[in-house]
Amino acid sequence: MTLAQLGSGQSARVLDVEGGWGLRRNLEQLGIHPGDVVSVAGTGAFRGPILIEVNGSRVALGRGVAGRIRVEPL
Amino acid sequence: MIRIALVGQPNCGKSTIFNHLVGYKANTSNLPGTTVEYLKSETLINGKRAEVIDLPGTYSLSPVDQAETETRNFLRSGKVDAVLNVADASLLSRSLELTLQLLEMGIPLVVCLNMLDEAKRKGITVDLDKLSAELGVPVVPTIAVRGIGVKRVASQTIKAATSKVSPPSPVYSADVEAVIEELGDKLTGGMARRFDLPPRLLAIKLLDGDPDCLKRVKQESFGLYREANRLRDKLGKLRGRRGEEVLSAERHSKAMEIYERAATVGRPTVGIRDRLDALLMHKVWGYLFLGAIMYGLFFVVFKVGSLIEGPMMEWFNQAVTALGTVMPADSIWFAVMSGLIQGVAGALGFVLPYLIPFWLGLALLEDAGYLPRVGYLMDVFMHRVGLHGKSVIPFILGYGCSVPAVLATRILDSPRDRFVTAVLAVMVPCAARTTVILGLVGYFLGPTIAFALYVVNLFVVAIAGKIMTKVFPRVTPGLILEIPTYKVPSLRVITSKVWIQAREFIILAWPLLIGGSIVLSLFEYGHINYYLNLGLLPITWALGLPMAIGVTLIFGIFRKELTLIMLFQALGTTSVASVLSAGQMITFTLFVMFYIPCVATIIMLWHEFGMRKTALVLGFTTGTALLVGVIARGIASIIH
């Protein structure tokens, strides 16, 4: 299951990021590491980006990016 | 001279600290020709002369985007005596990951723990002594918005810089340390010296999988390159994950560990700001608020601007008439003097009245933290033109000035996105072109038509985006954007931002406007503009405009504001409505909106993307301008 499939208000644990060095680093910088718990704070209109909360900060992720983050729902 | 660099993650309050340190004296170094965009200023701290450098905000020292690569290179260049690391106390564990990377670099370091009030709101209390002991460097608390603690952090940094004592490098798990040491030992010879880095730091970079360092080592010694790869794989096996992730995971857990030891988390207080996003980022309300905010900004800028433009125009018409009674209107001195008056009054009457309220509004939205929300809301639409939400920020800055907009494309990680965003951002009407839209169309035809031109602009930019996407297919995964907590805007930061922009305009642009105005006056006097107009006849003919306007378009390449001032000059009157029809005004304005970017922007584009791509931008924008102009002319002739 990927982060893109989660609905508003759901929480999940990050398992892995499918992507290159740059993408993984980029996500780590914003506090998204494998093992971290994220929760979906909102979803955009017209299948827009999703807003997640992780380690006390909020990050907007496009659907494409969210689809590359494998998670297990909690 | 002591050189201090301010380093911190975006939205940590770094620029507020910088502002309190140096006041209004700072200079932007984002002028063409320099490589890094930063502010710097000299100041006296503890009686010592220091140069304070405000580097762009960076989440880490891993080169993910260009701003980060540049920050890292600048710190590595050895030109910095001490780093003042601004950390957001309300996001302490994440901020500490950057602090750990800075400690690895071995430059004298002071941590400025900012936004303690914000942390308190989140229920976080930090034991400063414990944190300082854990990190091995001084930690000074500040609340930058109110200037609390800034003096102390500055004097501590000077102390650190003069002591020249390197801070202790963070120590990771024993098995990881063993691998770092093994690689470090192999690099002790020529390699580390060639990089001008301590062996341990170079080893860490290679184990981190830093692409730049790996590439250089590969070129210098294939044996060491293979060794670095072998040891990175070994790290990966130790932890059962990708090798290049191990060190960053180590940093992450180290940061968490320090955070847990030094901070206690209690109950957060939920305030208005937390509830604000439920409205401003809402699927429906968010867009309504966005539209209302943008229209409000536009309306205020127009109201303030036109309030000043009217009396100014009257005043300077009278001045030129008065001039005619003092000296003969066909003398060369009359030409020079009337050019001078028009140049001076042009800036005071048409340019600054629109620019200053606009800059204020934009700085306000930026400082409050609204722009990332716009990025989130607009992501869906940006996808339609092959970009993502982060590109919105250069776009919005483009409404201010194209030069920082082109620079701001550095926040994007793919070169393709950077270029496409830059092309589209220069087509957005900058504040100078806004003076033409509002000062001409807005003033003579009313604000609604002026606003409609902005909407037309958005459509054209969207179509241009579609075309660009066909030429440069998209490859990027999409939006990754932090949505920071809202801040109460700091008056100090906003006024200093506007002041820096206004000062740059007064020093650099105003003389150009006056000079250009006088030159045009003299051209007219010597009938030179006749030949220039003749050369531009194909364009003015195609657009159905009076031939006399041609020359204004040439001046507009230097500064866009010049087109409006020159227009009054070239037509010989400020009552444009008596000479141009509504359709002609609209056609002219649309052409000016899109054609060739100004010289400063061209230089910036060249610097960022090279000659060929710059030429492409010039051709593309001019082609678009002609096409849009001709269509506008056609529509106008049908209506009339």
Side-chain angles (χ1 to χ4, degrees), chain A residues 24-25 28-29 56 58 60 62, chain B residues 60 244-245 248 479 481 483:
Chain A
R24 270 180 280 127
R25 269 308 133 89
E28 277 167 14
Q29 285 183 351
R58 300 181 126 201
Chain B
S60 78
E244 71 257 32
E245 279 175 2
S248 91
L479 178 74
L481 181 64
I483 308 294

Side-chain angles (χ1 to χ4, degrees), chain A residues 16-19 21-31 33-34 36 42-51 55-65 68, chain B residues 9 59-60 62-64 68 91 94 97 122 208-211 241-242 244-245 248 252 256 277 281 283 287 376 379-381 384 413 477-484:
Chain A
D16 194 20
V17 176
E18 289 156 13
W21 189 86
L23 178 65
R24 270 180 280 127
R25 269 308 133 89
N26 206 337
L27 291 172
E28 277 167 14
Q29 285 183 351
L30 290 163
H33 307 72
D36 286 343
T43 52
F46 317 112
R47 289 188 48 79
I50 65 171
L51 183 65
N55 292 328
S57 62
R58 300 181 126 201
V59 182
L61 296 176
R63 291 277 162 178
V65 178
R68 292 182 182 211
Chain B
Q9 297 186 329
Y59 288 106
S60 78
S62 307
V64 170
E68 279 158 7
L91 287 171
R94 197 187 77 190
E97 289 183 44
K122 279 193 176 174
D208 250 340
D210 182 321
R241 62 198 306 170
R242 292 186 186 88
E244 71 257 32
E245 279 175 2
S248 91
H252 178 54
M256 286 300 258
D277 272 336
M281 293 179 81
K283 279 177 193 182
Y287 292 96
Y376 173 80
D379 186 60
V380 180
F381 303 105
R384 300 264 156 88
D413 17 63
L479 178 74
I480 303 174
L481 181 64
E482 187 190 2
I483 308 294

Side-chain angles (χ1 to χ4, degrees), chain B residues 12-309:
Chain B
C12 67
K14 194 165 54 69
S15 43
T16 317
I17 301 242
F18 180 74
N19 244 297
H20 274 283
L21 279 177
V22 304
Y24 298 109
K25 295 171 295 179
N27 284 310
T28 38
S29 301
N30 59 11
L31 294 170
T34 55
T35 49
V36 195
E37 172 215 12
Y38 57 78
L39 284 163
K40 65 174 179 182
S41 180
E42 277 178 33
T43 186
L44 273 179
I45 303 172
N46 287 2
K48 290 201 172 74
R49 267 157 53 80
E51 186 175 54
V52 187
I53 300 147
D54 187 17
L55 290 171
T58 162
Y59 288 106
S60 78
L61 297 180
S62 307
V64 170
D65 64 24
Q66 217 183 340
E68 279 158 7
T69 313
E70 279 168 1
T71 300
R72 189 196 61 171
N73 291 347
F74 189 83
L75 291 176
R76 221 186 251 173
S77 67
K79 285 185 223 140
V80 176
D81 297 304
V83 171
L84 176 51
N85 172 209
V86 183
D88 180 349
S90 69
L91 287 171
L92 188 56
S93 67
R94 197 187 77 190
S95 306
L96 286 175
E97 289 183 44
L98 174 63
T99 308
L100 290 174
Q101 280 190 311
L102 288 166
L103 285 171
E104 285 168 5
M105 296 208 71
I107 305 169
L109 184 79
V110 172
V111 173
C112 164
L113 198 59
N114 194 29
M115 302 209 183
L116 278 167
D117 45 349
E118 191 62 39
K120 206 169 150 197
R121 220 171 53 86
K122 279 193 176 174
I124 302 168
T125 10
V126 185
D127 183 334
L128 296 164
D129 296 329
K130 228 179 220 166
L131 183 61
S132 171
E134 288 284 339
L135 293 169
V137 293
V139 175
V140 183
T142 56
I143 300 176
V145 218
R146 280 181 268 158
I148 299 168
V150 175
K151 277 229 169 70
R152 241 186 83 209
V153 84
S155 78
Q156 285 278 352
T157 316
I158 290 291
K159 229 189 263 169
T162 40
S163 76
K164 290 196 164 56
V165 179
S166 285
S169 183
V171 180
Y172 301 113
S173 317
D175 49 349
V176 174
E177 281 293 331
V179 178
I180 297 175
E181 201 178 326
E182 191 182 340
L183 184 59
D185 284 345
K186 295 193 169 106
L187 298 167
T188 326
M191 191 56 71
R193 221 175 308 128
R194 240 168 288 160
F195 274 83
D196 211 13
L197 290 179
R200 180 184 157 84
L201 180 57
L202 181 57
I204 288 176
K205 292 276 161 209
L206 293 174
L207 294 172
D208 250 340
D210 182 321
D212 292 354
C213 287
L214 278 170
K215 210 170 117 196
R216 269 191 66 193
V217 168
K218 194 177 178 182
Q219 283 163 0
E220 306 251 351
S221 153
F222 196 72
L224 279 177
Y225 173 72
R226 268 208 340 233
E227 195 55 20
N229 285 342
R230 183 184 72 82
L231 286 167
R232 201 171 53 251
D233 288 344
K234 187 173 160 188
L235 270 187
K237 280 199 195 93
L238 280 176
R239 286 290 187 276
R241 62 198 306 170
R242 292 186 186 88
E244 71 257 32
E245 279 175 2
V246 173
L247 268 171
S248 91
E250 282 282 312
R251 254 179 235 120
H252 178 54
S253 62
K254 177 106 190 161
M256 286 300 258
E257 196 184 300
I258 296 175
Y259 172 69
E260 269 155 24
R261 276 190 210 150
T264 41
V265 186
R267 275 207 15 216
T269 16
V270 181
I272 299 170
R273 285 183 284 171
D274 304 287
R275 298 205 188 97
L276 212 50
D277 272 336
L279 269 184
L280 294 185
M281 293 179 81
H282 188 268
K283 279 177 193 182
V284 180
W285 306 122
Y287 292 96
L288 286 178
F289 276 103
L290 175 63
I293 288 169
M294 289 301 158
Y295 187 77
L297 176 66
F298 165 86
F299 198 73
V300 168
V301 170
F302 174 77
K303 271 284 166 215
V304 173
S306 58
L307 215 64
I308 300 170
E309 180 178 345

